Structure formats: C-alpha cells, structure tokens
Amino acid sequence: MGLFKNIFSSEKKETLDKGLEKSKTNFFSKLSKAVAGKSKVDDDVLDDLEEILVTSDVGVKTTIKIIERIENRVAKDKYLGTDELNQILREEIAGLLSETNVGEATDFEIPKDKKPYVIMVVGVNGVGKTTTIGKLAHQLKNKGLKVVLGAADTFRAAAIDQLQVWADRVDIPIIKQDMGSDPASVAFDTLQSGVNQDADVIIIDTAGRLHNKVNLMNELTKVKRVMQKVIGDAPHDVLLVLDGSTGQNAFEQAKQFTAATEVTSLAVTKLDGTAKGGVVIGISDQFKIPVKYIGVGEGIEDLQVFNKYEFVDSFFK
C-alpha cells in the first residue's frame, strides 16, 4: 500500500517500539491464541479479532470499521491466510487512519505566522500534564524557539512547584503567582511577559478539575478572554492531555473536556507503562481532533510527535 516508509530516525523509532512493547505483547499473545490451529481468516477468526481489538481499547466504533475493512478484503481476495493477518491489520488500520489528514507530523514545529504562538494545556490532574508541558518546552527550545511557561494551575501548590522544576530543568522562564491566585491573572501576566521577551511560544498550564464541568468551563473561558486582551486570537492551540494507561477512561475524559471547552489537539501519555496503547488508534479515529503528541517513556526525549504510520508500524511490527 506504500504507506510505510522510514520517517523517524532509527533512535526515535527504537524509542517508539520500546514504548509500545507492552501493548504489542498483550495484543499479539491474544491474537496468536485466536488463530492457533487455523490457517485462514474466517468468521470465527474475525469474531475473535473483534473481541481482541475491543479489549485492547481500540474502541467499539473503530473496531467495527477495522473489521469491515478486513471483511471486504477477505471477500475480494477469497483466501487470506492467518499468517498474513498481522500485515493486513497493519495496512488496514493505517488505511483507516490515512482517511484523515492528521497524524502526519514528523517533527516538533509550530506555525510560523503566529508569534508568540500560545498553547493552553488542559487535562485532569495526574495525566502527565505538567510533564508533557516540560518535555514539549524542551523539544521546542531545541528547535531554537524561545519558550515561556505560565503556571495558571493555581489550584494546587504542587502544580506550580512541579512546573517550576521543569522550567529550571530545561532552563526557560516561568511566570507564576501564589497558590489560590486568579488563573486568568497568571495567563495575562505570562502573555504580557512573552510579548515583552519576544517569545516564539507561550505554554499555559491550567487546573484540571472535572468534578464540576460548569466551573471548569467558566474558568477556561475566562482565561481565554483575558488572554485575548493581550493577543487577540489567543490561544492558538488548546492541547488536551490524556493518560493512555486509563484506556476507555481516556475516551470519557476527551468527551468531557471537548464538551467543556474547544479542544484543538491531543497528547496521549504513559503509553510505555500500559498494554492499552490501542486507545491511540481509537482516539485518533473517533475524535475529529488530531493527536499531536504521545508519551512513550520517562525520559525528557520520550515525548514524540504522533505519526500514524510510524505508530501503526511499531504496534504491528
């Protein structure tokens, strides 16, 4: 199908392969049991495959689409051996994801026509939001961009402290106030500071409380409104961070947050510690919001841009 070519460097690809190891091992141990003693892809194998995809957190709707694509292929090719199933899955899932024009990035970059480019980061506590911000800031700084951080998650002292640790680690400026301060005020100060420093990118952390969606919506709306007093079209990107290890809960969080605010991109974290990596395939297919970044390890370099072809290639290798 010509969908797979080496896009990532061998080092980057190795990190991705390693990060998806648990998901892959889990998936293929189930698949090998399902096809044991069978030579061709028949209805029984497809039924088993459907169950495996669903239990691998690909999601029901996306699983149905994948099974339909494979059924069409079986009907057309008449005989498909179970030994070909791995390659077929790889091609059909990549084909399904290629129907959208997202997930094709190969490196960290931001639009050149917005300066400073403002990213507002949202997500519930514990998903790896602050770590993602730190790693993203590191990657953008490595591209020669000037980055400023804003600690607008003023609900928890730990969030401010944690962001400060990352700012120190990657050696970039951070704007913060005391715990309990008005998040919109922190965002305002950060944007003003970013403009004054001629920053290329401003990344704003926000509180991730979902227990009251109305409060969350009001707070994020206020933060946006106040930002726009400094930069008229800010934020340029609202990045929702999801914990991949929670599987279907990540879908639920995505639904909740997209209902509370306009989300323009997604980051899926903690894929290295889980067997639920299939959730990225489902989220990428189901939400009309691009997955921009994935977290595949603890290291500072282990946040990667999401490239659907490299991801599927690593998952079904």
Side-chain angles (χ1 to χ4, degrees):
M1 284 177 83
L3 293 170
F4 299 100
K5 51 188 181 291
N6 293 331
I7 300 165
F8 285 2
S9 67
S10 57
E11 190 184 345
K12 213 162 147 190
K13 183 66 167 166
E14 203 177 302
T15 304
L16 182 60
D17 289 348
K18 201 168 145 209
L20 295 178
E21 193 62 47
K22 283 189 181 171
S23 296
K24 200 164 68 170
T25 304
N26 178 52
F27 184 86
F28 283 110
S29 67
K30 290 177 185 171
L31 190 62
S32 57
K33 280 180 196 156
V35 299
K38 293 174 180 167
S39 60
K40 65 177 279 193
V41 177
D42 56 18
D43 288 346
D44 287 347
V45 168
L46 286 172
D47 284 347
D48 287 341
L49 178 59
E50 187 171 336
E51 189 182 330
I52 293 164
L53 287 165
V54 171
T55 56
S56 297
D57 290 279
V58 170
V60 175
K61 286 183 180 172
T62 305
T63 293
I64 290 166
K65 287 189 196 174
I66 294 166
I67 295 297
E68 280 173 357
R69 290 178 76 103
I70 295 174
E71 280 173 344
N72 291 339
R73 192 135 165 202
V74 169
K76 195 172 72 188
D77 294 1
K78 297 296 179 243
Y79 179 90
L80 283 180
T82 50
D83 54 342
E84 298 168 71
L85 194 51
N86 175 14
Q87 180 64 19
I88 293 161
L89 270 167
R90 193 172 159 223
E91 289 173 3
E92 293 307 330
I93 291 173
L96 174 67
L97 296 183
S98 71
E99 289 171 2
T100 64
N101 60 350
V102 295
E104 298 190 350
T106 56
D107 208 348
F108 290 88
E109 50 198 31
I110 55 156
K112 302 220 175 356
D113 59 340
K114 308 274 184 195
K115 183 176 175 171
Y117 186 75
V118 181
I119 304 168
M120 182 166 92
V121 183
V122 300
V124 299
N125 298 331
V127 294
K129 190 159 50 87
T130 315
T131 302
T132 299
I133 292 169
K135 290 179 180 179
L136 177 58
H138 166 72
Q139 293 285 359
L140 295 173
K141 185 187 174 189
N142 279 357
K143 293 283 168 200
L145 298 169
K146 183 162 190 180
V147 185
V148 174
L149 299 183
D153 181 354
T154 57
F155 190 65
R156 297 179 307 134
I160 301 169
D161 294 345
Q162 197 186 353
L163 199 63
Q164 178 70 64
V165 168
W166 272 104
D168 293 342
R169 186 175 176 189
V170 299
D171 191 25
I172 53 176
I174 179 172
I175 308 302
K176 61 181 184 175
Q177 294 177 13
D178 293 335
M179 182 189 161
S181 303
D182 179 9
S185 167
V186 180
F188 182 84
D189 286 356
T190 307
L191 265 62
Q192 277 206 318
S193 178
V195 170
N196 293 339
Q197 294 181 59
D198 196 30
D200 297 295
V201 189
I202 296 170
I203 308 177
I204 305 282
D205 189 14
T206 62
R209 311 189 295 287
L210 251 188
H211 61 263
N212 185 331
K213 206 159 63 185
V214 176
N215 281 357
L216 175 77
M217 198 183 320
N218 291 343
E219 187 174 289
L220 294 178
T221 303
K222 184 183 172 190
V223 170
K224 281 186 187 177
R225 199 171 58 240
V226 171
M227 279 187 197
Q228 286 161 5
K229 290 179 179 175
V230 186
I231 298 169
D233 57 349
H236 304 113
D237 185 12
V238 179
L239 174 68
L240 170 61
V241 181
L242 300 167
D243 179 348
S245 70
T246 62
Q248 290 306 296
N249 277 351
F251 273 93
E252 203 43 52
Q253 281 174 27
K255 277 187 203 157
Q256 297 267 334
F257 264 97
T258 49
T261 191
E262 186 191 355
V263 173
T264 53
S265 65
L266 303 170
V268 185
T269 64
K270 306 186 187 182
L271 291 171
D272 55 308
T274 181
K276 297 173 184 284
V279 73
V280 177
I281 296 167
I283 285 174
S284 186
D285 172 54
Q286 287 302 304
F287 288 95
K288 303 303 171 217
I289 302 165
V291 175
K292 262 194 190 171
Y293 311 113
I294 53 173
V296 289
E298 298 287 318
I300 196 166
E301 301 289 342
D302 293 342
L303 181 74
Q304 293 195 348
V305 295
F306 172 64
N307 181 284
K308 57 196 171 192
Y309 303 119
E310 291 286 20
F311 184 90
V312 173
D313 187 51
S314 285
F315 198 99
F316 294 99
K317 211 166 183 182

